[in-house]
Structure formats: C-alpha cells, structure tokens
Amino acid sequence: MEAFKVEKPCLENPAWIVYFPTDDCNYKCKHCFLENKPDKNEMTYEEIMKIFSSSKFLKHTRIGISGGEPFLRKDIVKVLSGISHLGYNLEITTSGGFPERVQQFLLQADCSKVDIAISIDGLKDVHDKIRGRGAFGKAMKTLEIVKESGVHLFQVNTVIQKTNMHQLKEIRTYFSGLGVKYHFFIPLLSTSNKRVAYTDAEIEKMLPYIHYRFDLKYLLTRGNFRIKDCHAGQNTCFIDPMGKVYSCLTGQRFFFPRKNYFMGDLRKLDYQFDELWISEQANQARKDVKRCEGCYNGCEVHREKSFYFLDDNIDWDEVRKIWGNF
C-alpha cells in the first residue's frame, strides 16, 4: 500500500463521505454500539444546504446518510430532497421505521441516484425482539415502497447475532422469495477493538451466509483482521449532525482522544467545506490517523477495499492451522 506523504495537505476531492443528519433513534437495538443521544444543536436545513451547495470539492461526491435513524428527524424529507436536487448520489441506511417519510422523500427525489439499505434482522418475532414491537411491519412496508420506487439499488442488511442465528436460512429464503437481489448478512463488528463476539461453533454456522471476503477473513481470524495505516481523511470523511468534520466515523465515535481525528467545524468556517478540507487542522488529522491503533469498522474497511486495494485475500493454510479442516 502506497504510503501517504503527510508533509503536504491532501487535495484529493472526497469520493464518498458519511453524514449523520441526527444521532437520535427510535429503536434501542440489542446489537447497537452507538449511544444514539440526540443533540439539540443539530444543523438546520439552511445550514446543511450551505455546505452542499457551495462546495466544489463535493460536487461529485457520494453521500452516505445514516445515524441515528435519519428518518426520525422531522424535516428529513426536506433535507434529503434538497441534497438530492443538488445532483448528489445518496446512499441511505434506515431501519424502515418511518415508511411514510421514506415514501414522501422518494416522490420528490431523483430515484436513479438513490440507494437504500433497510436493516431487517429477522422474521417478525425475532426482528421485533431485537428492535421493538411493530418494527418488522414498518420495515416491510418501507421495503415495499422502496421496491416500487425505481431507486438505483436497494438492499436488506441483517446483523447476525445470537437472537437470530437459528433463523439465518429461513431469513435468506424469505427475502429471496420477495425478489430482494441484494441481501447482506453482516457480522457484529468490534469497532472498539474488543474480541470477536462469536464462539467458534457460531462462526462455522455463519460462514455460508457471509458475502464479503473481508468479513469472512475477520471471522476466521477471530477478529484479528484489522486495518492500520489507513487513508481516513484523504478522500472520505465523516460529518456529524452539528457540522463537525472528522477523518472517519470510527475516530469520532469510538477512539479517544477525538481531537486526533477532528478536521474542523463547518459552522466556524461559514459552512465552507473546501476551506476546511485544505486546512492545516485537516492535514494534522490526516497525520494523526497514521498513529491510529487500527480498527474494523465497515465504513473504513469498505473505503480501503474500494479505493486503496486492501488485501483481504485469505491465507487458507494459516486458517487451517487455527481451525483445522472445517
């Protein structure tokens, strides 16, 4: 992997950023690792539009929208429609708890530039046990709306955990029967660098359902596959609900001190993302990333695989030393 030359500011335009319109969430999922505590100082619609309408660097950027639950925010239809009308490609992750708001947004958006992932962690009883009573019905209503909308791509994400592990085959069969082409089973990720959450027997049971090779490698190494010396802050970043920008989501949410990943405050720079992106503060954050202990967060791993050719090939001889011929 080519070394990042930290002595010069990175002037590469962001290819993909993550933005949380809100940290608030209507569910308290058993597997969630976020605090989901809302801040009353979230950026207004006007502030958000200043950022995305004034930036030249962000002109061709894909924007990942997540949270919190983005559709819990009362003006989210206005916010997402406004960003969409500026020509951005949006990748939205939702629990599907607000089907009416999803529908209102899709009626106003350029659906050819919208991808939506709906988090559904089991069939009715299991999903409701994980997320809350009535969650499955709302998620399925959202799925039907999205399927009929003409979005560029839609998918279902299922986080594998002890509560749904007995139901994996049934879950796959069910959603395949509904015509869901993209259904990803996702392992619980140890973003805070704790040991992998599964027993060896559970990992063996999960293997046939894992889509991404790097997730497979993560499980087979019992969580020892992590990325270090990564490229956070070079052509991706994270914008929090208050307009603070960090080199990565992991650095803002899980690692301390957070100042090591802090690139700047858009409110203090009159919402000028381009000014922030080439600032000395942003360059310092990029340098600090090089001293990071490493992590396994989906956002960071996908970046390294997509843009920087992360080696996720599996050394099967090494795996057999650990597991035998399973």
Side-chain angles (χ1 to χ4, degrees):
M1 189 178 291
E2 183 179 354
F4 171 59
K5 297 178 175 58
V6 297
E7 68 271 19
K8 294 181 180 180
C10 174
L11 299 179
E12 186 176 359
N13 293 2
W16 179 66
I17 67 171
V18 177
Y19 167 52
F20 282 14
T22 183
D23 278 332
D24 202 1
C25 189
N26 52 315
Y27 296 140
K28 301 297 180 185
C29 304
K30 295 182 181 298
H31 60 272
C32 187
F33 45 73
L34 295 176
E35 293 180 350
N36 296 126
K37 294 180 179 179
D39 192 303
K40 295 180 180 179
N41 199 29
E42 292 173 354
M43 288 190 292
T44 65
Y45 167 79
E46 290 75 19
E47 289 176 300
I48 296 165
M49 293 304 293
K50 283 181 182 178
I51 295 167
F52 292 110
S53 63
S54 64
S55 174
K56 293 181 180 179
F57 286 171
L58 292 177
K59 188 174 183 181
H60 301 292
T61 299
R62 297 184 66 83
I63 303 175
I65 302 291
S66 188
E69 166 51 52
F71 285 95
L72 179 57
R73 180 170 166 148
K74 292 182 179 180
D75 65 346
I76 193 62
V77 173
K78 184 178 181 181
V79 168
L80 295 184
S81 298
I83 296 174
S84 176
H85 291 158
L86 290 173
Y88 287 99
N89 292 283
L90 300 181
E91 301 173 358
I92 302 171
T93 300
T94 177
S95 64
F98 297 89
E100 293 80 9
R101 290 181 183 175
V102 172
Q103 186 172 47
Q104 289 172 19
F105 161 64
L106 292 175
L107 289 172
Q108 298 179 30
D110 179 355
C111 288
S112 68
K113 293 186 175 183
V114 176
D115 297 348
I116 294 187
I118 304 171
S119 300
I120 306 178
D121 295 317
L123 303 186
K124 185 179 185 301
D125 291 345
V126 169
H127 182 76
D128 283 1
K129 183 176 181 180
I130 293 171
R131 292 185 178 258
R133 183 179 299 177
F136 182 78
K138 292 177 181 178
M140 293 305 299
K141 185 175 181 180
T142 298
L143 178 60
E144 286 303 311
I145 290 170
V146 171
K147 283 175 59 179
E148 296 172 3
S149 68
V151 295
H152 172 256
L153 181 149
F154 70 90
Q155 69 189 55
V156 170
N157 292 337
T158 298
V159 177
I160 302 178
Q161 51 202 285
K162 295 182 186 298
T163 309
N164 65 11
M165 196 166 290
H166 68 285
Q167 202 179 62
L168 299 181
K169 183 177 181 179
E170 191 177 356
I171 295 170
R172 172 180 278 177
T173 300
Y174 180 78
F175 286 104
S176 177
L178 293 178
V180 176
K181 183 178 180 181
Y182 299 103
H183 181 194
F184 298 121
F185 287 89
I186 303 171
L188 281 166
L189 304 181
S190 179
T191 52
S192 56
N193 289 349
K194 296 179 181 178
R195 182 177 171 81
V196 67
Y198 306 102
T199 66
D200 289 355
E202 289 169 339
I203 291 174
E204 285 197 48
K205 187 174 184 179
M206 293 165 59
L207 296 182
Y209 301 93
I210 300 299
H211 175 80
Y212 292 114
R213 186 158 48 188
F214 47 73
D215 283 341
L216 186 64
K217 189 170 184 177
Y218 170 77
L219 291 170
L220 290 174
T221 61
R222 294 191 177 98
N224 289 323
F225 176 47
R226 301 187 180 279
I227 56 171
K228 296 181 180 180
D229 191 29
C230 77
H231 297 78
Q234 293 190 47
N235 74 346
T236 59
C237 67
F238 168 62
I239 303 177
D240 80 3
M242 284 64 70
K244 292 182 173 63
V245 181
Y246 296 82
S247 55
C248 60
L249 172 64
T250 313
Q252 193 273 352
R253 296 281 146 152
F254 308 108
F255 289 168
F256 297 95
R258 288 178 177 169
K259 66 178 183 180
N260 290 352
Y261 307 90
F262 179 61
M263 301 181 78
D265 187 337
L266 287 164
R267 278 174 162 160
K268 293 182 178 179
L269 293 173
D270 194 30
Y271 311 98
Q272 297 302 304
F273 180 89
D274 297 0
E275 181 179 345
L276 181 150
W277 192 244
I278 62 174
S279 68
E280 181 55 38
Q281 175 65 47
N283 192 42
Q284 182 59 51
R286 296 182 185 106
K287 294 178 183 180
D288 288 336
V289 165
K290 297 303 168 183
R291 294 188 284 271
C292 176
E293 63 184 282
C295 76
Y296 191 83
N297 186 350
C299 294
E300 324 310 343
V301 176
H302 275 278
R303 175 194 61 242
E304 297 301 304
K305 178 65 176 175
S306 299
F307 301 124
Y308 298 104
F309 311 106
L310 172 70
D311 178 13
D312 61 353
N313 290 317
I314 298 170
D315 184 338
W316 289 106
D317 289 336
E318 187 65 28
V319 167
R320 291 186 185 97
K321 291 178 183 177
I322 301 174
W323 292 85
N325 294 312
F326 64 90

